[in-house]
């Protein structure tokens, strides 16, 4: 038993060392976005029931580092400021499915191709859902004025998220506020779940034999369905889902099936569906889930065809990620990240 625990810890540490520098870089870019991109700028471009507004919402959401609960106050704020149902839906899908932080970790732990496929797939899924919602809007319940603020720090989601705020004037002030958000609030919201994802990845690496998934789960459509069944009820943020997906790939999961997990896991949970039911209506909520399911399956098939056409063995690529950065840089990043996560826990404990 002790040997198993040591092996799990060793594998988890290995994942953390490889991912940490990219996670920290992702947080830094996220802080820049938070400090220098006003929320009102997005709202001005998302108001019409048009294909263009849906596309804009999908693209705007891709780099933002918000999980599926953290995105709720921002999305509802956009809706209250005049964004269409379709644009709001697109934003609520593309934002949690990917972000600058998760893209950096995808590059570190998987490969450059998946790093590109992931945001493209999130954008296409979001556009597909937004167009459907605009085409079949259904009825909409009035949004209570307290809903946006009440959903900040939504319980049961695993991440707090922040209410939309306008950055203050001054480059220095904006930079400081952005960094405070990224390495303070955002670390507190995402950090613990990233550590859970790293631990799960370590358990998978340590306990699941090589080729186990290819033998039991299979490949093709069956593996996609299995990943959907696992991902849809599971809450996992985009960053934390990445080390889990990387470990599953090493055990024989296909790139397409991994993409299903990366798309469906971060975008769905009970809080998101509940808010959609109350604010956008039953039809929009149903189209939201259906769009994620359909798009995930189609894009998974396309992804596997891309890797087959290129003749790439993704497991060989994932196994070589330790060559991306010097080992000392990974260790330093891991130590810094652990200190930041620990500090966030101590800060929350003092508040209580």
């Amino acid at each position: 038993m002790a040997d198993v625990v040591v092996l799990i810890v060793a594998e988890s540490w290995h994942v953390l060392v490889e991912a940490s520098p990219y996670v920290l870089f992702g947080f830094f870019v996220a802080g820049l976005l938070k400090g220098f991109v006003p929320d009102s700028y997005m709202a001005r471009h998302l108001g019409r029931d048009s294909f263009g507004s849906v596309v804009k919402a999908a693209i705007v959401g891709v780099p933002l580092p918000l999980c599926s609960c953290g995105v709720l106050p921002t999305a509802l704020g956009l809706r209250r400021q005049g964004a269409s149902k379709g644009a709001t839906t697109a934003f609520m899908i593309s934002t949690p499915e990917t972000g600058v932080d998760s893209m950096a970790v995808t590059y570190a732990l998987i490969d450059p191709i998946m790093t590109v496929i992931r945001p493209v797939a999130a954008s296409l899924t979001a556009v597909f859902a937004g167009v459907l919602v605009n085409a079949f809007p259904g009825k909409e319940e009035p949004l209570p004025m307290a809903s946006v603020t009440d959903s900040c720090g939504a319980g049961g989601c695993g991440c707090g998220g922040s209410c939309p705020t306008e950055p203050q004037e001054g480059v220095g002030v904006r930079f400081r506020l952005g960094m405070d958000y990224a390495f303070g609030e955002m670390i507190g919201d995402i950090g613990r779940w990233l550590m859970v994802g790293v631990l799960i990845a370590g358990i998978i690496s340590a306990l699941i034999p090589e080729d186990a998934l290819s033998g039991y789960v299979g490949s093709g459509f069956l593996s996609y369905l299995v990943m959907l069944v696992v991902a849809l009820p599971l809450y996992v943020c985009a960053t934390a889902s990445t080390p889990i997906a990387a470990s599953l790939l090493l055990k024989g999961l296909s790139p397409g099936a991994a993409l299903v997990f990366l798309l469906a896991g971060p975008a769905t949970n009970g809080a998101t569906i509940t808010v959609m039911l109350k604010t956008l209506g039953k039809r929009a909520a149903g189209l939201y889930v259906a769009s994620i399911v359909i798009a995930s399956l189609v894009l998974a098939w396309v992804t596997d065809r891309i890797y087959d056409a290129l003749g790439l063995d993704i497991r060989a690529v994932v196994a070589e990620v330790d060559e991306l950065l010097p080992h000392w840089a990974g260790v330093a990043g891991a130590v810094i990240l652990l200190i930041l996560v620990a500090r966030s826990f101590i800060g929350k404990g003092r508040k209580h």
Side-chain angles (χ1 to χ4, degrees):
M1 182 64 182
D3 291 341
V4 173
V5 173
V6 170
L7 184 58
I8 291 173
V9 171
E11 292 291 343
S12 299
W13 174 251
H14 175 75
V15 173
L16 185 63
V17 166
E18 300 309 324
S20 293
Y22 297 88
V23 173
L24 293 172
F25 174 74
F27 282 147
F28 175 76
V29 177
L32 294 180
L33 289 172
K34 180 69 175 179
F36 292 94
V37 180
D39 298 314
S40 59
Y41 174 82
M42 294 186 290
R44 286 198 302 268
H45 293 273
L46 308 180
R48 291 179 292 179
D49 292 322
S50 65
F51 179 75
S53 68
V54 170
V55 172
K56 286 180 181 179
I59 294 174
V60 165
V62 164
L64 298 182
L66 296 174
C67 62
S68 57
C69 290
V71 73
L72 293 180
T74 303
L76 296 181
L78 291 176
R79 178 62 178 154
R80 191 177 296 284
Q81 290 175 288
S84 67
K85 275 189 175 184
T88 304
T89 301
F91 184 83
M92 290 181 68
I93 290 178
S94 68
T95 304
E97 284 189 339
T98 188
V100 289
D101 51 334
S102 60
M103 284 188 280
V105 180
T106 304
Y107 181 82
L109 296 182
I110 302 181
D111 71 354
I113 295 177
M114 188 63 78
T115 305
V116 174
I117 289 176
R118 189 174 184 180
V120 171
S123 300
L124 292 175
T125 304
V127 170
F128 176 54
V131 169
L132 283 182
V133 169
N134 274 347
F136 306 98
K139 294 183 179 180
E140 178 181 349
E141 296 296 329
L143 182 63
M145 289 303 295
S147 294
V148 174
T149 54
D150 287 347
S151 59
C152 298
C157 304
C159 63
S162 60
C163 297
T165 58
E166 295 296 332
Q168 298 181 23
E169 295 298 327
V171 173
V173 173
R174 292 188 179 194
F175 180 82
R176 179 177 58 80
L177 289 176
M179 293 304 108
D180 286 345
Y181 164 76
F183 295 102
E185 179 181 336
M186 189 178 170
I187 286 282
D189 293 340
I190 296 178
R192 56 177 175 170
W193 296 102
L194 174 62
M195 295 304 158
V196 170
V198 167
L199 178 60
I200 293 174
I203 292 172
I204 293 171
S205 297
L207 302 184
I208 297 181
E210 296 290 337
D211 297 319
L213 292 179
S214 59
Y216 290 100
V217 175
S219 59
F221 195 72
L222 175 61
S223 65
Y224 307 159
L225 290 178
V226 171
M227 285 297 102
L228 269 178
V229 171
V230 172
L232 284 175
L234 178 69
Y235 177 77
V236 58
C237 70
T239 304
S241 69
T242 310
I244 298 173
S247 296
L248 292 173
L249 285 167
L250 285 173
K251 301 306 179 181
L253 195 68
S254 73
L259 182 66
V260 171
F261 180 78
L262 292 172
L263 293 177
T268 56
N269 66 66
T272 302
I273 304 304
T274 300
V275 171
M276 288 205 71
L277 283 169
K278 291 181 178 180
T279 61
L280 300 182
K282 294 180 180 179
R283 184 175 299 179
L287 291 173
Y288 176 92
V289 176
S291 299
I292 292 172
V293 170
I294 295 170
S296 296
L297 294 175
V298 172
L299 292 168
W301 182 87
V302 172
T303 297
D304 278 341
R305 301 292 77 76
I306 290 174
Y307 276 91
D308 290 343
L310 294 175
L312 294 176
D313 180 1
I314 194 169
R315 281 188 292 175
V317 179
V318 174
E320 296 298 324
V321 295
D322 55 352
E323 298 180 0
L324 289 174
L325 286 175
H327 183 68
W328 65 264
V331 172
V335 172
I336 292 171
L337 187 58
L338 287 172
I339 291 173
L340 290 171
V341 173
R343 188 185 69 173
S344 72
F345 272 103
I346 293 172
K348 288 182 178 179
R350 287 176 178 173
K351 289 179 181 179
H352 293 297

